[in-house]
Amino acid sequence: MPPDTSAYVYPMYDVMLAFGDSITQYGGDPQIGGYVAYLSEQYQRQMDVLNRGFSGYNTTGARQVIHNVLPKSPIKPEPFLTTTGIYKWITNTTTLSTSAQINNDTHTIWPDRDDTFPNQTGALRVCIFFFGTNDATVETWHQHTPLDEYGDNLRYFASLLQSPSSEHYSPDTKIMFITPPPVGDRMD
């Protein structure tokens, strides 16, 4: 007879998040060899791979939804007043929201997460940003983003995870940018 494991709480795996355009959205389809499906297969029982692809989005549109995609940090930044009267941010790992502090352990707070697995959330370990195909359309197309703005948007995405003043601060998260392959103007 197998042992009774009904009272055992299985820990959630850490997370790899893929955030991008239609290449990411359809990348979850194993029938077309999608990269997100491939990552899910390669990292099964090691890491949960989340697909947050938004077909038709460029980096400018992604800026509008990224705060609903990235998890909130368990490290809550707190402002303090300097002697010059300027507010600065410090990170205080002892000041955590109630839902993020469980038995003196910190848990990432994912947006719109239900309580299927209360207090059991994996940390964001890898974040993949895969944008640029829509940004790189011809200048007259509505999805086009000028190259300088595209670069600024990618830097903004990274800053949300790297800046201690960000509500999404995650200093241990590895960030990967995937951009489109080179495009040729002529076809032979």
Side-chain angles (χ1 to χ4, degrees), residues 30-51:
Q31 293 180 337
I32 61 172
Y35 84 96
V36 181
Y38 177 78
L39 290 170
S40 294
E41 180 183 344
Q42 294 301 306
Y43 285 94
Q44 62 184 317
R45 292 186 307 277
Q46 299 171 48
M47 194 175 297
D48 287 329
V49 179
L50 298 182
N51 183 340

Side-chain angles (χ1 to χ4, degrees), residues 21-90:
D21 54 27
S22 60
I23 296 171
T24 299
Q25 181 174 332
Y26 300 118
D29 187 347
Q31 293 180 337
I32 61 172
Y35 84 96
V36 181
Y38 177 78
L39 290 170
S40 294
E41 180 183 344
Q42 294 301 306
Y43 285 94
Q44 62 184 317
R45 292 186 307 277
Q46 299 171 48
M47 194 175 297
D48 287 329
V49 179
L50 298 182
N51 183 340
R52 297 298 181 263
F54 292 82
S55 182
Y57 276 61
N58 59 12
T59 55
T60 303
R63 281 183 79 139
Q64 305 302 310
V65 298
I66 193 168
H67 293 283
N68 293 321
V69 172
L70 294 178
K72 301 286 190 268
S73 174
I75 304 168
K76 183 178 178 184
E78 291 189 6
F80 69 95
L81 194 58
T82 65
T83 55
T84 59
I86 298 172
Y87 279 98
K88 292 197 174 183
W89 293 90
I90 58 170

Side-chain angles (χ1 to χ4, degrees), residues 38-186:
Y38 177 78
L39 290 170
S40 294
E41 180 183 344
Q42 294 301 306
Y43 285 94
Q44 62 184 317
R45 292 186 307 277
Q46 299 171 48
M47 194 175 297
D48 287 329
V49 179
L50 298 182
N51 183 340
R52 297 298 181 263
F54 292 82
S55 182
Y57 276 61
N58 59 12
T59 55
T60 303
R63 281 183 79 139
Q64 305 302 310
V65 298
I66 193 168
H67 293 283
N68 293 321
V69 172
L70 294 178
K72 301 286 190 268
S73 174
I75 304 168
K76 183 178 178 184
E78 291 189 6
F80 69 95
L81 194 58
T82 65
T83 55
T84 59
I86 298 172
Y87 279 98
K88 292 197 174 183
W89 293 90
I90 58 170
T91 55
N92 181 348
T93 56
T94 60
T95 306
L96 300 170
S97 68
T98 308
S99 61
Q101 189 168 3
I102 291 63
N103 299 328
N104 296 323
D105 192 10
T106 60
H107 297 276
T108 304
I109 303 165
W110 288 89
D112 303 322
R113 182 181 69 82
D114 66 13
D115 285 327
T116 305
F117 301 102
N119 307 328
Q120 299 295 316
T121 345
L124 180 61
R125 291 289 170 229
V126 178
C127 188
I128 300 168
F129 295 108
F130 193 159
F131 284 99
T133 304
N134 297 320
D135 298 84
T137 58
V138 294
E139 291 181 20
T140 56
W141 192 248
H142 71 280
Q143 293 171 308
H144 175 75
T145 304
L147 188 57
D148 290 346
E149 184 179 340
Y150 172 71
D152 290 344
N153 289 338
L154 295 180
R155 282 186 284 280
Y156 174 73
F157 297 164
S159 75
L160 291 175
L161 296 172
Q162 295 174 334
S163 173
S165 64
S166 169
E167 67 181 338
H168 306 288
Y169 180 55
S170 185
D172 296 327
T173 299
K174 304 297 183 213
I175 299 172
M176 179 187 303
F177 289 100
I178 303 175
T179 57
V183 178
D185 290 335
R186 357 180 292 250

